[in-house]
């Protein structure tokens, strides 16, 4: 169940996100933890447009590093991002 304070806080954060930040956050929420390349492939955008958005979301406290694992695309070790804030997770469901 979503608390009214959680929805209020989410509505406060959402307008401050740019379209690509919101898209990255949406992918992480709907697809689960992903690395930059996986997000880029899903959004059909170059990785150079995803990497800065992940950093911005991390600095805003919305995304955090979950683990390091091999990329599902390249097989190379990569950082996996996940949605950090319970407020965002609950409000997007």
């Amino acid at each position: 169940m979503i608390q009214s304070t959680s929805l209020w806080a989410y509505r406060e954060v959402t307008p401050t996100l740019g379209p690509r930040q919101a898209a990255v956050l949406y992918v992480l929420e709907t697809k689960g933890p992903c690395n930059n390349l996986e997000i880029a492939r899903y959004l059909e955008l170059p990785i150079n447009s995803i990497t800065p958005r992940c950093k911005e979301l991390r600095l805003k406290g919305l995304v955090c590093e979950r683990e390091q694992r091999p990329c599902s695309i390249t097989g190379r070790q990569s950082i996996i991002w996940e949605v950090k804030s319970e407020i965002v997770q609950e409000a997007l469901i």
Side-chain angles (χ1 to χ4, degrees), residues 1-11 86-91:
M1 181 170 170
I2 301 172
Q3 300 294 321
S4 61
T5 54
S6 295
L7 287 174
W8 178 82
Y10 176 74
R11 289 182 185 126
E86 291 179 8
I87 295 168
V88 175
Q89 289 177 346
E90 290 177 2

Side-chain angles (χ1 to χ4, degrees), residues 3 8 14 23 26-27 29 53 67 72-73 84 87 93:
Q3 300 294 321
W8 178 82
T14 306
Y26 176 79
V27 169
E29 182 56 37
R53 304 304 77 81
E67 63 184 337
S72 65
I73 299 165
K84 180 180 179 184
I87 295 168
I93 293 176

Side-chain angles (χ1 to χ4, degrees), residues 11-24:
R11 289 182 185 126
E12 290 292 312
V13 169
T14 306
T16 66
L17 297 180
R20 288 209 176 143
Q21 289 174 335
V24 168

Side-chain angles (χ1 to χ4, degrees), residues 30-49:
T30 58
K31 295 293 183 185
C34 297
N35 68 23
N36 292 343
L37 185 56
E38 293 164 345
I39 296 167
R41 288 276 175 99
Y42 182 77
L43 293 175
E44 298 179 355
L45 293 170
I47 191 169
N48 295 355
S49 66

